[in-house]
Amino acid sequence: MGLAIVQFEHIGKHFFAVPVLHDINLSIEAGTVTGLVGENGAGKSTLMNLLGGVYRMEEGRMLLDGREFVPADPSEAARAGIAFIHQELNLLANLSIADNLLIGSFPTTAGLIDRRKARSMARDMLAAVELETSPDTPVERLSPGQRQLVEIAKALGSGARIIIFDEPT
């Protein structure tokens, strides 16, 4: 049995006094793939949104690497190494793959975006998911499956240790 990277202990969450999570306990080991399966409305996305900093729990506690973890927002969860790939992808269709992969973290030289280095970084990120296309390709030209691979490449490129897929197709 490996070490738990994430633990949910007695988690509770309500929306407008309606309980959506009640006494949830779950441990996820590092280096594993874990799937949550259940009917619509069972609370799968809500639980993952707690970990991703989208919602705040009302009961219980979450542990990340054995320490209490209560992200205030998605950016705090991202800094902790958690990437969330939503059902509705968060790509800007009119921008290139490279721009989408590196937005917010472009490499710079003398205060200017280093496009050559950006393309190289994007190529490496695409290679990690075996997507063989130019980083200069506009996202709007990609199939839905290719767009999802770009999202995965972005998560891996950010150094995410935990990648959450919300209803991947």
Side-chain angles (χ1 to χ4, degrees), residues 1-60:
M1 192 102 151
L3 296 175
I5 191 168
V6 175
Q7 289 176 272
F8 297 95
E9 297 178 349
H10 307 288
I11 300 296
K13 174 71 180 161
H14 301 80
F15 289 120
F16 307 105
V18 176
V20 291
L21 297 175
H22 175 70
D23 198 30
I24 301 297
N25 294 288
L26 175 66
S27 181
I28 301 171
E29 292 182 19
T32 64
V33 175
T34 303
L36 296 180
V37 180
E39 296 180 20
N40 287 342
K44 303 174 301 290
S45 293
T46 300
L47 186 64
M48 293 303 97
N49 278 310
L50 293 175
L51 182 61
V54 176
Y55 300 143
R56 302 277 303 220
M57 64 190 163
E58 284 120 23
E59 299 166 6

Side-chain angles (χ1 to χ4, degrees), residues 74-75 77-85 100-105 121 124-125 128 150-164:
S75 63
R79 286 190 300 276
I82 299 167
F84 207 127
I85 299 176
N100 272 277
L101 289 174
L102 298 169
I103 199 161
S105 61
M121 291 170 65
D124 291 345
M125 293 166 80
V150 170
E151 284 274 18
I152 295 166
K154 186 174 183 177
L156 292 171
S158 74
R161 301 177 310 124
I162 299 167
I163 302 176
I164 301 166

Side-chain angles (χ1 to χ4, degrees), residues 82-121:
I82 299 167
F84 207 127
I85 299 176
H86 296 274
Q87 186 175 8
E88 298 298 323
L89 301 179
N90 292 318
L91 298 173
L92 301 170
N94 61 322
L95 296 181
S96 71
I97 293 171
D99 288 344
N100 272 277
L101 289 174
L102 298 169
I103 199 161
S105 61
F106 286 105
T108 58
T109 302
L112 300 173
I113 293 175
D114 185 336
R115 288 285 175 190
R116 183 177 301 185
K117 186 169 184 178
R119 279 188 207 89
S120 176
M121 291 170 65

